[in-house]
Amino acid sequence: MTPRERAVFVAAYTNLVVDVWSNPHSERQLADDPRGLLARHGVPVPAGTRVVAVRDVAGSEPDLDVQVRYWQEATSTGELRLVVPALTELATAELDEAELDSVVAGVQSTCACCCPCCCS
């Protein structure tokens, strides 16, 4: 695989993953017609190759090199494992009143209402 071929695959695969994360129709298509989803994103799949969608692999980080290897080996194995990791949610926390009072739009509240010239 040339660096250009790899770059084209990585860009298409990345767009596919983002599409699945953000579009319920694409998420359903991943389950129902992964070959069609790959085609829609410009990822060629050799004829006769079975596409197996793997979702939400618990306890593992997405590994782009592994996905590239699966794509390269699809011709010889007859199977393409298409790994689409779970979209992890960011941790959220409530701020208490003291924390809210100490921050105003990312600036300490003691300087939020004055012009820069009076803080020197």
Side-chain angles (χ1 to χ4, degrees), residues 42-101:
V43 179
V45 179
T49 300
R50 185 171 75 106
V51 179
V52 178
V54 180
R55 287 299 312 270
D56 307 337
V57 180
S60 68
E61 289 294 317
D63 189 333
L64 189 54
D65 291 329
V66 169
Q67 185 60 63
V68 169
R69 190 179 77 237
Y70 288 157
W71 184 63
Q72 288 178 296
E73 294 173 350
T75 304
S76 60
T77 64
E79 178 179 286
L80 171 60
R81 290 176 47 102
L82 176 62
V83 179
V84 178
L87 178 61
T88 56
E89 292 186 26
L90 297 175
T92 59
E94 297 270 336
L95 296 178
D96 64 29
E97 288 297 319
E99 291 168 321
L100 287 172
D101 286 340

